[in-house]
Every structure is written in structure tokens, then in C-alpha cells.
Amino acid sequence: MHSGTAVTPQLRVLFTRDQIARRVTEMADDITRDFAGQSIIFVGVLKGASIFLGDLARQVKLDATFDFISVASYGAGTKTSGEVRMNKDVDSSMADKNVIIVEDILDTGLTMGFLRKLFLAHQPRSLKVAVLLDKACRRIEPVKADYVGFVIPDEFVVGYGMDYAERYRNLPDICVLPPQLQSA
Ligand code: PRP
């Protein structure tokens, strides 16, 4: 049993490592059932999804491979610019593969909208989306994930792969970053 106490005292724990582990196992069980007897490829969206992908993939009992893509949103420092740019493409062909895009968080949906179009152009056998967190109230582009860990309110979350200015990714719990720390 963990205390759930974060390294930085001002951080409020939203989901403990134990809660995350339980939910990730449930998601992995769903994927194992849905793709029984088939191979899949997990495509992680760097960098935030890296820890989630590692935990999810280790619980899935299927023949699986990994690939990674890196994208970034630009424009006036916000994520609502609608402009998504690719920094690193996948290494392998997605043609005729069962592709599962793995994301830490679905926010406006602009990144996932961009990725879905990109991957559908590869003509995969199937294309699914797994997200740990869904800020459904923030959606601009109407995308939906097939596997969702938790639906969360509009709060700035860090930990378990997610950052603020590249910090906090290594926190084992998912925490809310209060506004007073958002300029620190
Ligand atoms: C986060 C997250 C998604 C995107 C979601 O990435 O990993 O890729 O934002 O936002 P959207 O739904 O509004 O498009 P971020 O840009 O923080 O990069 P990171 O994963 O490297 O931290």
C-alpha cells in the first residue's frame, strides 16, 4: 500500500500508482480479448505515453511490437492552434497491421485527429486508440478513444509520463499541478 504522497508537497494526487495499475490491467485485458489470436502494434506518441505504453504492453497477452511517433502542437503557445507537426515518423509500415495508438492524454483532440488521418492513410487492418486520461470537456475535434483509463476534469496533470516544462514525468502517481506552480 502506497501513501500516495507526491515528491513535491503542493502536488495533489489524482490517481495513485495502485489505481493506475489496476485500471491499466483492465484496459490490457480488454485489448487481449478484442484481438485474441491476432498480432498488434502499439504506436506510442512521445514523450508522454512512454510509461503508459510500457505498463500496458506488459499486461497484454498477445504477440505485439512497438513503434513510436513524435508530434507537437504549435501556435501562440497554446494547444488550440490546430497546427500539429510531426517531429518523428514511425519506423515501420502500418499497412495491414492491427494498430493501437497509445496516448497519455486526449485533450482538444487535435493531435489525435491528426494522427488518425495519418495512420488511416497507411491502410492498417484496424486502427484503435488507447488513452489513459480523457479530458472530454476540452474536446474541439470530435475524436473518441476505444480504450479509456479515466475521464478527468479540466485540470493540469503531471506524472506517470506527463510533464510540465519537461518536469514531473517520473512521478509514479498522476497529480494535479496547482496554478502557482505553473510558472515556476
Ligand atoms: C500531450 C499528449 C497529446 C496531446 C493531447 O502531448 O501527449 O499528444 O498533448 O493534446 P490535444 O488533444 O489537445 O491535441 P504534449 O504536447 O504535452 O507532448 P509530450 O507527450 O511530449 O508531453
Side-chain angles (χ1 to χ4, degrees):
M1 188 68 180
H2 299 284
S3 68
T5 306
V7 176
T8 305
Q10 299 98 318
L11 295 179
R12 175 167 59 84
V13 176
L14 187 60
F15 298 110
T16 66
R17 63 204 80 182
D18 294 335
Q19 289 174 306
I20 298 165
R22 278 196 292 275
R23 188 69 191 113
V24 170
T25 298
E26 290 171 353
M27 296 174 80
D29 289 346
D30 289 343
I31 292 170
T32 300
R33 186 197 59 230
D34 292 350
F35 289 93
Q38 301 181 67
S39 298
I40 56 173
I41 179 163
F42 290 110
V43 180
V45 185
L46 296 170
K47 303 173 188 164
S50 54
I51 291 175
F52 174 44
L53 186 147
D55 283 350
L56 182 73
R58 283 182 296 171
Q59 299 287 336
V60 166
K61 296 170 185 66
L62 297 170
D63 178 50
T65 55
F66 294 176
D67 208 330
F68 292 92
I69 192 166
S70 176
V71 291
S73 307
Y74 289 94
T78 75
K79 286 185 169 286
T80 57
S81 65
E83 192 187 333
V84 181
R85 197 174 76 185
M86 182 158 54
N87 291 331
K88 179 213 168 296
D89 202 349
V90 289
D91 297 329
S92 48
S93 167
M94 300 290 134
D96 202 33
K97 302 266 180 66
N98 293 311
V99 178
I100 301 182
I101 304 176
V102 181
E103 264 285 29
D104 51 347
I105 187 163
L106 195 50
D107 191 328
T108 64
L110 295 171
T111 304
M112 191 53 69
F114 173 87
L115 290 172
R116 274 188 57 83
K117 283 190 206 89
L118 187 75
F119 282 98
L120 285 172
H122 285 242
Q123 300 192 295
R125 185 181 311 169
S126 64
L127 181 63
K128 302 285 184 190
V129 174
V131 300
L132 183 61
L133 303 180
D134 184 357
K135 264 191 198 179
C137 60
R138 290 258 306 161
R139 202 77 87 250
I140 292 173
E141 188 154 338
V143 290
K144 279 190 178 161
D146 302 281
Y147 306 97
V148 177
F150 304 100
V151 177
I152 62 165
D154 186 14
E155 293 190 287
F156 199 101
V157 288
V158 296
Y160 198 72
M162 292 171 283
D163 74 311
Y164 173 67
E166 298 298 327
R167 294 180 64 203
Y168 307 114
R169 291 193 197 274
N170 63 323
L171 297 179
D173 305 313
I174 294 175
C175 301
V176 174
L177 190 73
Q180 67 267 27
L181 287 185
Q182 289 182 28
S183 55

